[in-house]
Amino acid sequence: MSSSIAQNLRIAAVLLVFLVLIDVISLAYADKCICPPYRNISGHIYKKNVSQKDCNCLHVVEPMPVPGHDVEAYCLLCECKYEERSSNTIKVTIIIYLSVVGALLLYMLFLFLVDPLIRKHDPYTMPLQNEEDSEDVRPRVDGSQGRGNTVLERVEGAQQRWKKQVQEQRKTVFDRHKLLS
Amino acid sequence: MSFVCGCIPIKRLSATPTEETNDAGNLMDFLDEPFPDVGTYEDFHTIDWLREKSRDTDRHRKITSKSKESIWEFIKSLLDAWSGWLVMLLIGLLSGTLAGVIDLAVDWMTDLKEGVCLSALWYSHEQCCWTSNETTFADRDKCPQWQKWAELMTGYTEGAGVYLLNYFLYVLWALFFSFLAVSLVRVFAPYACGSGIPEIKTILSGFIIRGYLGKWTLLIKTVTLVLAVSSGLSLGKEGPLVHVACCCGNLFCSLFSKYSKNEGKRREVLSAAAAAGVSVAFGAPIGGVLFSLEEVSYYFPLKTLWRSFFAALVAAFTLRSINPFGNNRLVLFYVEYHTPWYMAELVPFILLGVFGGLWGTLFIRCNIAWCRRRKTTLLGKYPVLEVIVVTGITAVLAFPNPYTRRSTSELISELFNDCGSLESSQLCDYINNPNMSRPVDDIPDRPAGPGVYSALWQLTLALVFKIVITIFTFGMKIPSGLFIPSMAVGAIAGRIVGIAVEQMAYHHHDWIIFKNWCRPGADCVTPGLYAMVGAAACLGGVTRMTVSLVVIMFELTGGLEYIVPLMAAAVTSKWVADAFGKEGIYEAHIQLNGYPYLDQDEFTHRTLATDVMRPRRNEPPLALLTQDSTTVEDVETLIKDTDYNGFPVVVSHESERLIGFVQRRDLILAIKSARQKQDGVVSNSVVHFTEDAPQIPASNPQPLKLRRILNLSPFTVTDHTPMETVVDIFRKLGLRQCLVTRSGRLLGIITKKDVLRHMAQMMNQDPESIMFN
């Protein structure tokens, strides 16, 4: 059935997205040590690409501004922080998210503007906004079109069913306040 | 009281109802729609737990017996056994991925309200500044690559005009995000609004809400959650993440017929998915499992415990590998200090617990009152406008105060963290001893500088603001969670108390209470710990969690030594809050919506089954079917005239001895299929539930045998059974209805709705508020 194919396609798309996210991880890590002013040495920030176990003052602060016996005292004052970033992951995630939002926005505009124009001639279609019709009136969309066998008609049928579902949900939540109030 | 254990499995008729172009017009309208492939229950009804269990046992027995036939069958039985674990793995992977996406997107979009990173547009403020190349100590907080909007547009960084322009753009972005969120929710998936935890609790107790865990709900909830959190509203993402994880669970259930066709098994998977959701929200796998056990699930067998743990671990591991916060941690406010606490500090901790309990009570009462107003008055007719107005007010009031301008998670993170010697924020503006040369995490108590005092004022204002605005935010028609705002309130209160104690200990170190444990020059008081304890107290006061709260908090912080303060605060806040009202926020919302949720509280009244059963004295008599004297037409009339979910079957109208119980949906399906398929079945045909057809003359039409849909072992109690026992039976067995007999004769019926109404009445609540069956 088309719905299970669509369902499997969606699941595959989701898994693909997740795999892409994992694959594009290109790690960039760095250690940043902030050392305050000490005696007559001004404060400085040191950065170096080291792994987490090497993230301490001794490895990162180079060249060491104080002589050997003062190193320990100096290093006690410094604060070192380790961070690992994957800029590709961030970029891909943000781009995917924005494209999903954009697609939803476009679909919403389509449903509000273009769809009513297309379906102006079909008297059985219910528009997207809520109506005050009673529950017993259910226009027989399937009945008027018979059994649609082509892909387009099946998609249209699925879309009509989905719209009806969303309308029911909207009535339950927004109008009758039966759920989620 | 008579129990008949072990239901006889009811075999479903293999009706094929999908060609629904036209019908005979005899029966209900709802049959016209194509039946869903899965689920044999109607929307907004309760499942029959025993039936689902016996169906699963049947299926398992069949597979086991067939597995001995051939290797292929054996492999299939192995796959069936392992499918549960596979589902858990998939749920963990998808929830972790979605949580990572949400975290990264929220990070970026929250900072988008204030400015943009010029070197890489997709970096948030912190990520942008990490890559900056400042080298001097004085410049350690400067970050030229990240520019605020006013600076980008006008080129200036200081001035009143710049401030106003930043303010205006902040409010504009916030309004844009929230408007987008509420529009998407309204147009595509109205079920995606709210927290989700009350509805999931109800679903897990056996209720059916079709579409609540659907794919569109999943997509819209994920997308709009990011928008809602980024718009600066006082809400969190933990509750909605539980909903998202349960949607993932539902999604993967549909891949396996073992779970998609059995509502009881599906709920086991959903319990585990809820654990995975909390696990990624807090980075606390064990806490997630305990949360699912304590708050969300209804039946939690041991098998589910192990599987939930697996799902939570996989989800946490997936999130860690996406690494949204750059430090291999799962939560933004992971702190890891090990300074000890002292016994005398239990006093302020308990005070924080009392504060948490009081705030919890206040919040629940005010929020429920506001939600009730939204439900019943004109306010509920303008959801989009409401969201926009609340966002506008929040943004306008939040911008001036630097503690509310940033995202709540960042605020909590700053409050939890102790002040190092190099911190330059206002909260850490302590007067440093210039000769001090102690290492960074053992700084002695210092006197507060002026920055600390102004920070305290701002924090107090932030506290009041957050307390008030969260009441109006939770429950709006966008995804909204409650954990982060509660933790923020508690953290602010805790930090204020902590700084107060710290300054008292410094300035009055010769008082008796401080002399014993606090020498001058030592690091006695850690205000960050007070913030943590305050957060735990407030969260406990609102949700009434106990064990799961403590475990989540110490998994969040890694501080096992702080279990005792956390427990003290959590227990105190629960006691104080329970003194005012028994329900947590989720139970209160369940009651507000009238969901059929039978909670685990004890029923202590002395009523009997006769007091609750239907029909009452002034009601029409019970609608019955006889075992062999009803005609098809009578049955159809009965179905059309009443809307009961099932009918008892008795021997005859005179003797009224009980034979069994038949469900409405099964009757409708059976009669429809019989009319279509079997010859000779007309309106005058006699319906019989007996094994053999009744003796009828040959000229009468053919009788219709419906024994297959009859439940021969309905639960019955006698009329003098105490309601305490009846409620216990309903709760433990998950019944939908129970028949009441006296000396073998059928007297009446008690349904779950009747039980709930009775309990509401006993507690002096409105029994008419129970909406669902």
Side-chain angles (χ1 to χ4, degrees):
Chain A
M1 273 177 42
S2 66
S3 77
S4 73
I5 295 174
Q7 184 176 306
N8 290 336
L9 275 178
R10 270 187 226 117
I11 293 171
V14 160
L15 285 175
L16 186 68
V17 162
F18 138 77
L19 283 173
V20 161
L21 275 178
I22 296 280
D23 279 341
V24 299
I25 289 178
S26 70
L27 295 171
Y29 46 76
D31 185 45
K32 204 180 200 180
C33 279
I34 303 179
C35 294
Y38 178 65
R39 294 200 188 151
N40 50 359
I41 303 167
S42 64
H44 208 267
I45 299 176
Y46 298 92
K47 262 176 84 162
K48 195 167 171 205
N49 289 347
V50 291
S51 63
Q52 193 169 13
K53 64 176 170 56
D54 286 339
C55 174
N56 52 31
C57 171
L58 297 168
H59 285 94
V60 173
V61 175
E62 278 174 11
M64 188 62 71
V66 291
H69 56 274
D70 260 350
V71 165
E72 200 183 324
Y74 184 63
C75 273
L76 278 175
L77 291 175
C78 289
E79 246 181 64
C80 291
K81 213 163 69 143
Y82 174 78
E83 276 218 6
E84 203 177 300
R85 294 262 168 227
S86 166
S87 64
N88 274 348
T89 309
I90 298 174
K91 183 161 68 167
V92 166
T93 308
I94 302 282
I95 289 180
I96 289 180
Y97 178 77
L98 287 179
S99 37
V100 168
V101 173
L104 284 173
L105 266 180
L106 283 176
Y107 192 38
M108 185 161 72
L109 286 174
F110 166 77
L111 284 176
F112 269 119
L113 302 174
V114 181
D115 218 33
L117 294 173
I118 295 181
R119 296 186 190 283
K120 224 175 11 185
H121 55 274
D122 193 347
Y124 286 113
T125 314
M126 288 156 83
L128 201 58
Q129 283 80 11
N130 279 330
E131 289 186 345
E132 301 302 324
D133 49 330
S134 61
E135 282 187 58
D136 303 314
V137 174
R138 291 170 189 261
R140 302 307 320 278
V141 178
D142 304 322
S144 64
Q145 294 175 359
R147 233 187 300 168
N149 269 329
T150 68
V151 175
L152 201 61
E153 283 177 7
R154 273 216 199 124
V155 164
E156 257 190 43
Q159 198 193 24
Q160 288 301 99
R161 259 201 315 270
W162 171 72
K163 273 202 219 158
K164 223 160 61 147
Q165 254 176 18
V166 173
Q167 194 144 353
E168 266 310 304
Q169 287 180 8
R170 204 179 291 133
K171 272 204 209 135
T172 313
V173 174
F174 286 94
D175 297 335
R176 286 186 247 135
H177 292 281
K178 238 167 65 153
L179 273 181
L180 290 163
S181 53
Chain B
M1 168 175 91
S2 70
F3 269 124
V4 180
C5 285
C7 266
I8 296 176
I10 301 168
K11 294 196 178 46
R12 303 264 337 135
L13 290 180
S14 55
T16 55
T18 44
E19 275 85 52
E20 301 293 346
T21 49
N22 58 357
D23 58 306
N26 283 347
L27 299 172
M28 297 289 110
D29 278 353
F30 86 91
L31 264 191
D32 298 341
E33 283 176 354
F35 275 151
D37 291 342
V38 299
T40 57
Y41 299 96
E42 297 168 26
D43 206 1
F44 302 133
H45 278 77
T46 318
I47 70 174
D48 190 344
W49 284 96
L50 294 167
R51 183 163 91 162
E52 299 302 302
K53 187 164 191 301
S54 73
R55 279 166 67 186
D56 184 57
T57 320
D58 271 351
R59 183 194 62 87
H60 192 251
R61 201 163 41 212
K62 196 159 67 173
I63 287 187
T64 318
S65 65
K66 274 173 77 173
S67 76
K68 303 187 178 58
E69 287 172 15
S70 70
I71 295 287
W72 175 236
E73 294 294 333
F74 180 66
I75 291 179
K76 268 179 28 177
S77 81
L78 275 185
L79 284 178
D80 181 80
W82 279 74
S83 61
W85 294 99
L86 183 61
V87 170
M88 295 299 148
L89 178 71
L90 291 172
I91 290 175
L93 290 175
L94 187 59
S95 321
T97 311
L98 286 177
V101 167
I102 290 176
D103 283 336
L104 285 172
V106 163
D107 220 5
W108 180 67
M109 288 183 85
T110 315
D111 289 333
L112 194 65
K113 292 200 304 280
E114 293 188 55
V116 71
C117 181
L118 292 176
S119 61
L121 284 173
W122 52 87
Y123 273 168
S124 69
H125 183 125
E126 196 193 330
Q127 293 158 354
C128 201
C129 292
W130 176 257
T131 59
S132 76
N133 284 329
E134 303 305 306
T135 48
T136 58
F137 183 69
D139 288 341
R140 69 187 186 276
D141 293 324
K142 287 212 182 60
C143 194
Q145 288 145 327
W146 197 81
Q147 284 189 350
K148 303 201 174 169
W149 290 113
E151 188 184 345
L152 197 65
M153 289 158 81
T154 61
Y156 296 108
T157 48
E158 302 293 325
V162 165
Y163 182 81
L164 283 176
L165 187 58
N166 274 329
Y167 200 155
F168 173 69
L169 284 170
Y170 180 91
V171 174
L172 206 62
W173 274 112
L175 287 174
F176 173 60
F177 287 156
S178 64
F179 175 67
L180 198 56
V182 71
S183 317
L184 285 175
V185 164
R186 195 188 151 90
V187 170
F188 290 116
Y191 278 166
C193 59
S195 158
I197 293 187
E199 285 73 29
I200 289 182
K201 275 178 79 130
T202 319
I203 288 180
L204 286 178
S205 80
F207 197 53
I208 301 254
I209 306 179
R210 292 218 185 284
Y212 196 73
L213 301 174
K215 299 174 194 74
W216 273 101
T217 314
L218 171 63
L219 176 69
I220 295 294
K221 190 119 189 176
T222 311
V223 168
T224 51
L225 177 62
V226 172
L227 289 170
V229 175
S230 311
S231 71
L233 283 167
S234 176
L235 44 83
K237 55 179 168 51
E238 286 66 30
L241 269 178
V242 172
H243 187 183
V244 164
C246 285
C247 287
C248 299
N250 200 34
L251 176 71
F252 290 122
C253 273
S254 59
L255 294 179
F256 299 91
S257 71
K258 173 178 173 187
Y259 294 107
S260 64
K261 290 206 190 332
N262 191 311
E263 295 287 339
K265 297 289 284 182
R266 189 196 290 251
R267 274 149 180 78
E268 286 177 18
V269 172
L270 291 180
S271 293
V278 176
S279 153
V280 290
F282 283 115
I286 306 179
V289 174
L290 285 174
F291 178 83
S292 175
L293 171 64
E294 188 180 351
E295 279 290 310
V296 175
S297 301
Y298 202 73
Y299 297 115
F300 202 85
L302 277 179
K303 182 170 70 169
T304 314
L305 185 70
W306 191 213
R307 294 200 174 167
S308 311
F309 192 53
F310 179 63
L313 271 184
V314 171
F317 179 70
T318 313
L319 183 59
R320 196 175 183 280
S321 59
I322 294 183
N323 193 12
F325 299 112
N327 50 2
N328 276 332
R329 301 286 174 218
L330 300 174
V331 194
L332 188 55
F333 29 91
Y334 192 97
V335 296
E336 212 175 18
Y337 39 71
H338 299 284
T339 48
W341 59 279
Y342 300 93
M343 272 301 174
E345 286 181 308
L346 273 180
V347 173
F349 291 152
I350 290 184
L351 281 178
L352 282 173
V354 171
F355 170 76
L358 290 176
W359 177 76
T361 313
L362 171 77
F363 178 80
I364 293 177
R365 293 245 177 110
C366 294
N367 185 252
I368 293 292
W370 185 249
C371 286
R372 188 167 289 129
R373 186 168 289 200
R374 192 187 287 133
K375 193 169 159 172
T376 49
T377 66
L378 208 58
L379 178 65
K381 301 222 187 304
Y382 302 103
V384 179
L385 192 60
E386 182 192 357
V387 169
I388 293 181
V389 166
V390 172
T391 311
I393 294 178
T394 311
V396 164
L397 291 178
F399 188 83
N401 189 337
Y403 291 107
T404 46
R405 186 191 303 174
R406 68 187 76 157
S407 79
T408 322
S409 303
E410 278 177 37
L411 173 66
I412 297 180
S413 170
E414 179 170 347
L415 292 173
F416 277 8
N417 271 309
D418 212 12
C419 286
S421 61
L422 303 178
E423 296 283 338
S424 54
S425 66
Q426 218 180 15
L427 196 59
C428 290
D429 184 27
Y430 289 95
I431 300 173
N432 281 325
N433 186 348
N435 291 335
M436 177 188 69
S437 62
R438 303 287 290 279
V440 285
D441 61 351
D442 190 16
I443 301 177
D445 287 350
R446 301 165 283 177
V452 176
Y453 288 111
S454 72
L456 280 180
W457 271 115
Q458 287 173 334
L459 279 176
T460 315
L461 287 174
L463 179 68
V464 171
F465 170 68
K466 277 229 174 285
I467 289 179
V468 170
I469 202 72
T470 313
I471 292 175
F472 298 103
T473 312
F474 188 66
M476 283 204 299
K477 298 288 184 264
I478 43 173
S480 61
L482 188 52
F483 284 27
I484 293 272
S486 329
M487 287 174 73
V489 168
I492 297 177
R495 187 77 185 216
I496 294 177
V497 169
I499 292 180
V501 172
E502 182 189 40
Q503 294 305 303
M504 265 200 334
Y506 180 82
H507 288 290
H508 302 284
H509 53 83
D510 47 352
W511 285 3
I512 296 192
I513 32 173
F514 294 122
K515 201 157 42 168
N516 289 336
W517 53 279
C518 200
R519 306 173 283 107
D523 181 16
C524 309
V525 177
T526 319
L529 172 62
Y530 285 71
M532 265 166 41
V533 169
C538 279
L539 194 51
V542 159
T543 56
R544 313 291 164 86
M545 300 195 306
T546 50
V547 181
S548 39
L549 175 66
V550 174
V551 173
I552 287 176
M553 288 306 292
F554 85 68
E555 271 186 300
L556 260 186
T557 60
L560 281 179
E561 21 326 308
Y562 303 132
I563 286 189
V564 175
L566 289 172
M567 271 174 61
V571 160
T572 316
S573 82
K574 184 167 161 71
W575 279 346
V576 168
D578 276 348
F580 291 99
K582 288 208 64 183
E583 308 138 349
I585 185 73
Y586 300 127
E587 285 86 23
H589 271 273
I590 286 180
Q591 229 171 47
L592 175 70
N593 284 309
Y595 296 143
Y597 182 79
L598 202 54
D599 60 13
Q600 314 277 5
D601 291 335
E602 293 175 6
F603 182 86
T604 50
H605 304 276
R606 306 218 119 261
T607 43
L608 300 177
T610 30
D611 304 327
V612 180
M613 75 177 186
R614 301 294 201 91
R616 302 284 167 79
R617 238 156 260 175
N618 52 348
E619 283 174 7
L622 201 57
L624 299 170
L625 296 176
T626 55
Q627 70 173 354
D628 54 11
S629 55
T630 346
T631 62
V632 171
E633 187 171 2
D634 291 339
V635 174
E636 288 171 348
T637 325
L638 195 61
I639 291 177
K640 198 174 276 201
D641 289 343
T642 61
D643 60 354
Y644 301 135
N645 278 328
F647 304 96
V649 177
V650 294
V651 170
S652 65
H653 280 294
E654 292 79 31
S655 81
E656 283 194 346
R657 282 185 299 137
L658 184 66
I659 303 281
F661 196 81
V662 64
Q663 300 283 348
R664 179 198 188 84
R665 194 173 164 108
D666 297 343
L667 258 186
I668 293 175
L669 267 182
I671 291 189
K672 184 175 167 59
S673 145
R675 274 189 184 269
Q676 283 179 350
K677 304 260 170 58
Q678 291 182 20
D679 296 329
V681 171
V682 293
S683 294
N684 270 339
S685 304
V686 165
V687 169
H688 70 101
F689 294 98
T690 47
E691 190 59 46
D692 305 312
Q695 303 286 355
I696 44 166
S699 59
N700 283 16
Q702 193 185 353
L704 173 59
K705 179 175 178 182
L706 288 186
R707 192 173 169 85
R708 287 164 62 191
I709 62 170
L710 180 66
N711 178 6
L712 288 165
S713 57
F715 273 85
T716 57
V717 293
T718 58
D719 55 334
H720 280 290
T721 316
M723 269 313 284
E724 208 175 358
T725 314
V726 176
V727 169
D728 223 9
I729 299 173
F730 267 87
R731 187 188 291 146
K732 292 202 165 106
L733 295 175
L735 296 185
R736 283 196 292 185
Q737 73 276 324
C738 180
L739 298 165
V740 182
T741 60
R742 180 200 294 163
S743 9
R745 289 189 59 223
L746 181 65
L747 273 194
I749 186 171
I750 301 180
T751 64
K752 191 169 175 179
K753 193 170 181 175
D754 299 327
V755 171
L756 288 167
R757 282 208 169 131
H758 179 68
M759 287 171 75
Q761 217 169 18
M762 288 288 118
M763 289 197 290
N764 291 328
Q765 290 158 356
D766 179 19
E768 293 308 314
S769 71
I770 308 292
M771 310 284 294
F772 296 97
N773 242 332

